Amino acid sequence: MKSEYDIIIIGGGPAGLTAGLYASRARLKTLLIEKGLVGGQVVTTERIENYPGFEEGIAGPELIKRMDAQARRFGLEIISGNAAKVEDSGDSKVVALEDGKKISCKAIIVAAGAEPAKLEVEGEDKYRGRGVSYCATCDGAFFKNLKIAVIGGGDSALEEALFLTRFASEVYIIHRRNEFRAVKVIQERVFANPKIKVIWDSVIEKIEGEDFAVKKIAVENVRTGEKKELDIDGVFIYVGTRPNTDFLPVNTKLNDKGYILTDDNMATSIKGIFAAGDIRAKLLKQVSTAVGDGATAAFAAERYIEGLEAKG
Ligand code: NAP
């Protein structure tokens, strides 16, 4: 059976769009499937300062708009859909969508990224959308002159805490250790911001509310055991990410945290399936590394398809 596409890319963040750009320029018939908004986590990022070429930084949505237009200019086809299953029959692959549609191809590039991890505390689900949020860019403006807690000590927590100071009267960063893992330049801005107070060595035990809105959190100092309550109106959770790999064949090799293992050419453990971007096990997860992964994955997929054709 003839495959409908040369390459199907699952996920339309920077990795997927770059793979789409390269594959389309190689004149491979390429389809990108995105389940939500094209752009993934980047569209919820207010400003990106470490993507080269933009001296003053660039807004996440603007960067994605440009990547999307550039890839489409060379013929990338983009559809909205949720990949439910990837079926591997050797030289041909099938992506089954949630709505029952099946699309065949010769190679797949998985660039479905990751989504915010949950904190798994009492009240988190109950007050989600009622004060509990995972997206400062989406929800920050609802907290004008209110008090907010940000949980986590990575780049996301600190960048978003800084963003939230535009709206909130006070922002508490609650971190389970006494040292942040975020890049130093962002830490310096956090320490210099009078609206931000850091609560070190602490975890939250419970989120409580009244009338369908968050009102307070219970905080415990993990060193001293001291417990206290903080009156706050919002909790923004940035405790890492969880890769979107549920649809992959069960024999896809993952690391202990569930991220896809690849070689240097982005090849996964399954022939003809490549992975790129934040879904991959790697040291540095940023837009600049995602685009490199996407370019490499597309080039490697092209080589793989040439090999199939040579085999006849
Ligand atoms: P991250 O770097 O994994 O940081 C997660 C933070 O949450 C850590 O400080 C961690 O504490 C804390 N944490 C994890 N589980 C927790 C729990 N159960 N309770 C309390 N705290 C918990 O995640 P991220 O900040 O979302 O970033 C993800 C990736 O994207 C990183 O590679 C990051 O560099 C990248 N990123 C880059 C940029 C940028 O370049 N501008 C922006 C955002 C994200 P510990 O430190 O104790 O482990």
Side-chain angles (χ1 to χ4, degrees):
M1 190 190 81
K2 196 176 170 307
S3 295
E4 291 160 85
Y5 287 90
D6 291 313
I7 298 179
I8 291 180
I9 299 164
I10 301 173
L17 288 170
T18 307
L21 170 69
Y22 276 67
S24 301
R25 284 173 59 85
R27 295 292 180 237
L28 293 164
K29 191 166 186 254
T30 306
L31 176 71
L32 186 151
I33 302 170
E34 166 58 48
K35 74 170 174 187
L37 282 180
V38 169
Q41 293 193 102
V42 176
V43 279
T44 66
T45 305
E46 202 259 335
R47 197 140 209 96
I48 296 163
E49 285 187 337
N50 54 359
Y51 188 67
F54 299 94
E55 203 179 334
E56 304 299 327
I58 181 164
E62 174 61 23
L63 180 62
I64 288 300
K65 199 173 102 190
R66 295 188 194 193
M67 286 184 178
D68 176 273
Q70 190 181 4
R72 286 182 200 260
R73 184 158 85 84
F74 291 99
L76 177 66
E77 220 181 296
I78 301 180
I79 61 163
S80 178
N82 197 359
K85 199 162 186 236
V86 162
E87 292 159 14
D88 171 38
S89 337
D91 292 355
S92 156
K93 325 267 177 220
V94 169
V95 178
L97 302 184
E98 211 173 53
D99 64 8
K101 195 169 174 204
K102 291 187 168 196
I103 315 169
S104 61
C105 61
K106 294 173 187 162
I108 291 176
I109 297 173
V110 184
E115 58 187 45
K118 284 174 59 179
L119 188 56
E120 310 288 353
V121 291
E122 191 183 326
E124 182 177 10
D125 287 340
K126 184 170 174 190
Y127 293 105
R128 188 175 183 152
R130 295 163 172 183
V132 172
S133 171
Y134 304 83
C135 178
T137 327
C138 321
D139 301 326
F142 296 121
F143 294 86
K144 222 169 170 99
N145 298 322
L146 297 176
K147 288 184 187 169
I148 291 174
V150 172
I151 320 300
D155 285 327
S156 300
L158 271 63
E159 283 187 359
E160 302 309 323
L162 283 164
F163 173 69
L164 287 165
T165 60
R166 291 188 194 179
F167 313 103
S169 56
E170 262 175 278
V171 177
Y172 297 98
I173 299 179
I174 301 174
H175 183 38
R176 63 183 177 183
R177 291 189 291 135
N178 63 358
E179 203 181 14
F180 288 134
R181 68 169 62 227
V183 69
K184 291 287 184 296
V185 66
I186 300 295
Q187 293 195 29
E188 287 162 14
R189 283 183 211 163
V190 160
F191 295 136
N193 192 309
K195 278 193 179 179
I196 298 181
K197 293 193 176 64
V198 182
I199 303 181
W200 298 110
D201 297 317
S202 296
V203 294
I204 69 171
E205 291 186 310
K206 207 181 343 176
I207 301 169
E208 291 181 84
E210 258 170 42
D211 300 331
F212 306 110
V214 168
K215 285 285 172 234
K216 61 182 174 190
I217 50 175
V219 182
E220 182 183 3
N221 184 306
V222 290
R223 283 205 186 201
T224 63
E226 187 200 342
K227 293 181 192 244
K228 62 179 175 190
E229 285 189 342
L230 268 184
D231 291 333
I232 47 110
D233 307 285
V235 185
F236 283 77
I237 297 172
Y238 290 103
V239 293
T241 53
R242 179 194 158 274
N244 294 314
T245 52
D246 298 348
F247 54 84
L248 287 174
V250 285
N251 54 338
T252 312
K253 283 207 177 115
L254 309 174
N255 73 1
D256 58 349
K257 298 210 166 75
Y259 289 85
I260 304 175
L261 292 167
T262 67
D263 67 10
D264 289 350
N265 298 332
M266 309 300 135
T268 70
S269 53
I270 300 180
K271 271 204 166 72
I273 301 185
F274 301 82
D278 280 9
I279 200 163
R280 205 166 75 75
K282 62 175 182 174
L283 182 64
L284 189 61
K285 290 183 180 135
Q286 299 192 339
V287 180
S288 53
T289 60
V291 300
D293 284 5
T296 304
F299 191 73
E302 182 186 358
R303 287 275 170 90
Y304 167 80
I305 291 168
E306 281 166 8
L308 289 182
E309 283 161 3
K311 233 170 42 174

